[in-house]
Amino acid sequence: MLFVADAARIPIDEEGKFFLPGEFSDSMLERYMKLCDELVILCRKGDEILSTDKAKKTYNACPLDNIKVVYVKDKFASIRNYLSPSVKKFNSRLIENEIRKADFVIVRTFSSMSTKRFYKLLRRYHKKVLVESVCCSWDAMWNHGIKGKVLAPYSFIDVRRRIWKADYVCYVTEKFLQKRYPTKGKQIAVSDVDIPDLDIAVLKHRKEKIQDHVGVYKIGTVAAVNVDYKGQKYVIKALAELKKYGNQNFEYYCVGGGSNEKLKRLSERLGVSDQVFFTGSLPHNKVIQLLDSIDLYIQPSLQEGLPRALIEAMSRGLPAFGSVTGGIPELLDKQCLFAKKDVKQIIYFLEAVDQKFLLDQAERNFKFAQKYEPKRNNQKRLEFYREYVRKCKKR
């Protein structure tokens, strides 16, 4: 199986071994391994070669031997790369070779080749494709600087074409992505969130934590810290405004990979660096530990599909706020939604936090997260993927 996720970055260490970031959980990989004997992941390299010690502390080691990683050149690394014929030629040859060898092709994100060229190769080698629609291309590009705004219309059209022409499409949302990126192929709506079976003891512990709370409220966001569209800066600005009025009753924990320099400078400039903490990337078990240690989760994104981190937070009984984008409104109570970039609304929500609100939202979110337990989703997804595999074998 060829799994195309070339927006993802998989880091390597000084010994040339690859390590898996949080989005490549063991259970996710095992999901694909039920369908094939060998999995080839097509992606980009991490930004730097890591020391083996740092790689082991920050990322997960690959759990299986029959998983291979193939790296494309990052055409978005610079304007020069984007326009480079040699980069385009290298990627085209590499992708064609992997498509030719594959029995099944699943695409999560795809930006290294035009849709027209990609489907031409699929037809040439008589391959069917299953697309996983997990995020909005327009929102992702539009909220990624000037270069992103220039490329957003082209990316949007390209992704619409890719999904429209796909043989099978798995959407992670119930409505949002289906409306924006329709398909003429066979489709299913099932989240790719993978949370453990919910234990009522988690909710009990959360309620006790809320009832016993004194002092500072700890807020958290799990998302890359080096991209503007995750929106952490709006929470930092809200903390700065609250501080002007003497309210320093909040700490903000930013969990995620990438350089934190931009956000760190912002918190220093606004005088709230003592309230903002950066943990870097964390293994999944430590992310869960952090979620259990905080009091409130916030997803201030400018674009999302269906944010897995938010659902994981809800499964830990965490009260949560989120911006009105992507699939977030499908998850949260209406009274917990705020407009994108709206610092004033974030301030209003934080100031209004009280014990009753936290207890109500803890119970509501924990119960809502039951929709995403593996038993409810995995079998539904697996049957859909197996149907795709059977179709491929009949070609």
Side-chain angles (χ1 to χ4, degrees):
M1 177 181 290
L2 174 64
F3 180 65
V4 181
D6 67 339
R9 296 182 182 275
I10 293 186
I12 58 175
D13 70 1
E14 55 204 0
E15 297 177 2
K17 296 179 181 178
F18 68 88
F19 289 78
L20 299 171
E23 62 261 38
F24 291 92
S25 64
D26 290 359
S27 55
M28 171 189 165
L29 296 174
E30 288 167 4
R31 175 196 312 165
Y32 299 121
M33 295 309 301
K34 289 179 180 178
L35 305 170
C36 64
D37 299 312
E38 182 184 30
L39 179 66
V40 177
I41 302 173
L42 189 144
C43 61
R44 305 182 210 176
K45 284 184 181 178
D47 294 327
E48 59 178 332
I49 296 176
L50 304 173
S51 68
T52 301
D53 185 55
K54 182 177 180 181
K56 288 180 178 178
K57 288 180 179 178
T58 308
Y59 300 101
N60 300 315
C62 182
L64 301 168
D65 293 331
N66 47 349
I67 295 178
K68 175 184 173 185
V69 172
V70 175
Y71 293 106
V72 294
K73 289 186 177 180
D74 186 1
K75 75 174 187 178
F76 292 104
S78 64
I79 296 294
R80 182 177 181 180
N81 266 28
Y82 188 79
L83 299 174
S84 170
S86 63
V87 169
K88 182 178 180 180
K89 187 175 183 180
F90 175 89
N91 285 347
S92 183
R93 286 182 174 178
L94 183 149
I95 295 168
E96 178 174 2
N97 186 52
E98 295 302 329
I99 288 175
R100 178 179 56 80
K101 293 186 294 183
D103 296 297
F104 323 116
V105 181
I106 294 181
V107 177
R108 174 160 289 201
T109 53
F110 194 83
S111 57
S112 296
M113 182 185 290
S114 72
T115 293
K116 184 176 179 180
R117 170 68 173 155
F118 178 63
Y119 276 100
K120 184 177 180 180
L121 290 174
L122 291 177
R123 289 194 299 272
R124 177 183 299 172
Y125 295 109
H126 309 289
K127 311 290 183 180
K128 292 184 179 294
V129 64
L130 186 153
V131 173
E132 297 178 341
S133 179
V134 299
C135 69
C136 175
S137 173
W138 174 272
D139 288 346
M141 297 298 289
W142 188 259
N143 294 294
H144 201 61
I146 298 299
K147 181 172 69 173
K149 285 180 170 57
V150 172
L151 297 176
Y154 303 98
S155 177
F156 175 70
I157 292 169
D158 195 52
V159 172
R160 276 181 66 95
R161 286 175 178 166
R162 179 204 315 158
I163 293 177
W164 175 253
K165 297 174 70 174
D167 302 287
Y168 289 77
V169 181
C170 180
Y171 294 97
V172 297
T173 60
E174 293 290 336
K175 298 177 182 178
F176 172 71
L177 291 170
Q178 288 89 327
K179 185 176 181 180
R180 193 164 283 194
Y181 302 96
T183 183
K184 65 178 181 179
K186 187 153 189 178
Q187 63 178 280
I188 190 174
V190 57
S191 169
D192 64 345
V193 175
D194 191 14
I195 59 175
D197 290 337
L198 299 186
D199 185 345
I200 195 64
V202 171
L203 180 58
K204 181 181 177 182
H205 173 76
R206 174 63 60 187
K207 287 184 172 181
E208 290 172 351
K209 181 177 172 62
I210 292 170
Q211 290 165 340
D212 296 339
H213 179 269
V214 290
V216 172
Y217 286 105
K218 295 181 178 180
I219 313 167
T221 298
V222 180
V225 296
N226 60 336
V227 286
D228 288 342
Y229 61 79
K230 288 301 181 180
Q232 295 97 328
K233 67 179 180 181
Y234 303 107
V235 182
I236 294 173
K237 289 179 179 181
L239 296 186
E241 288 298 313
L242 287 168
K243 186 174 182 178
K244 289 180 182 179
Y245 299 100
N247 186 344
Q248 294 179 255
N249 201 33
F250 300 95
E251 293 178 349
Y252 185 36
Y253 291 80
C254 298
V255 183
S259 172
N260 61 31
E261 284 304 309
K262 193 172 181 180
L263 291 175
K264 190 175 180 181
R265 286 197 303 269
L266 176 66
S267 64
E268 290 171 351
R269 180 168 59 82
L270 296 178
V272 290
S273 59
D274 59 333
Q275 294 175 249
V276 181
F277 304 91
F278 300 96
T279 71
S281 293
L282 295 176
H284 187 256
N285 65 316
K286 291 188 177 180
V287 171
I288 297 299
Q289 290 173 18
L290 183 133
L291 291 175
D292 287 341
S293 73
I294 63 176
D295 304 295
L296 189 66
Y297 188 84
I298 187 165
Q299 196 79 46
S301 309
L302 306 185
Q303 72 89 13
E304 285 289 352
L306 198 74
R308 287 174 291 175
L310 174 56
I311 297 174
E312 280 203 332
M314 295 167 70
S315 77
R316 307 309 294 179
L318 262 171
F321 297 124
S323 55
V324 181
T325 188
I328 293 177
E330 297 179 14
L331 301 175
L332 294 179
D333 193 329
K334 289 182 180 179
Q335 65 176 314
C336 296
L337 297 170
F338 56 87
K340 292 185 287 186
K341 305 182 183 182
D342 196 329
V343 174
K344 288 184 178 179
Q345 272 194 290
I346 295 173
I347 293 170
Y348 171 79
F349 283 139
L350 295 180
E351 287 185 319
V353 164
D354 59 24
Q355 187 180 93
K356 183 180 184 305
F357 169 82
L358 294 175
L359 288 171
D360 289 346
Q361 289 301 314
E363 184 154 355
R364 184 263 178 203
N365 288 350
F366 182 82
K367 289 180 178 179
F368 191 91
Q370 291 175 1
K371 290 176 58 177
Y372 300 94
E373 282 185 307
K375 290 178 183 177
R376 294 172 180 261
N377 286 321
N378 287 353
Q379 190 58 37
K380 181 180 178 182
R381 183 193 302 108
L382 186 59
E383 289 173 2
F384 185 75
Y385 281 41
R386 280 177 172 164
E387 180 183 335
Y388 158 69
V389 168
R390 287 193 295 270
K391 289 288 185 180
C392 290
K393 289 180 177 178
K394 289 179 180 178
R395 67 178 185 268

